[in-house]
Amino acid sequence: MRISYNPLWKMLIDKGMNKKDLREKSGISTASIAKLGKGENITTDVLLRICEALDCNINDIMETLPDGPEESSRI
């Protein structure tokens, strides 16, 4: 399984926000924004700060997806 932050990006669009707005409102670093954009691992602290800033729950900003064929072949 892998994590997808697509729900976060959809929420930002719905709220009329961009990544810079999210960074400023939540106080997270540009490196964290970059990791989110690449679907990389991010600390729970960062996720909770985003949730506080957007007034949402963690399951509103991320989802789990099954591994794609290219990922399962590396195991």
Side-chain angles (χ1 to χ4, degrees), residues 2-65:
R2 62 186 176 89
I3 298 291
S4 169
Y5 300 106
N6 284 338
L8 170 61
W9 309 130
K10 290 175 186 171
M11 181 180 290
L12 289 181
I13 291 168
D14 291 344
K15 291 181 179 273
M17 295 175 68
N18 60 33
K19 291 178 182 180
K20 181 182 177 190
D21 297 330
L22 175 63
R23 183 179 55 79
E24 291 172 353
K25 189 169 183 175
S26 64
I28 63 175
S29 69
T30 53
S32 293
I33 293 286
K35 284 184 176 185
L36 287 165
K38 295 176 187 175
E40 295 179 0
N41 291 337
I42 201 86
T43 65
T44 308
D45 178 58
V46 169
L47 294 172
L48 293 176
R49 287 166 66 184
I50 292 170
C51 288
E52 277 185 22
L54 298 177
D55 190 30
C56 66
N57 292 314
I58 201 161
N59 60 325
D60 295 328
I61 62 169
M62 60 187 284
E63 62 187 352
T64 57
L65 300 173

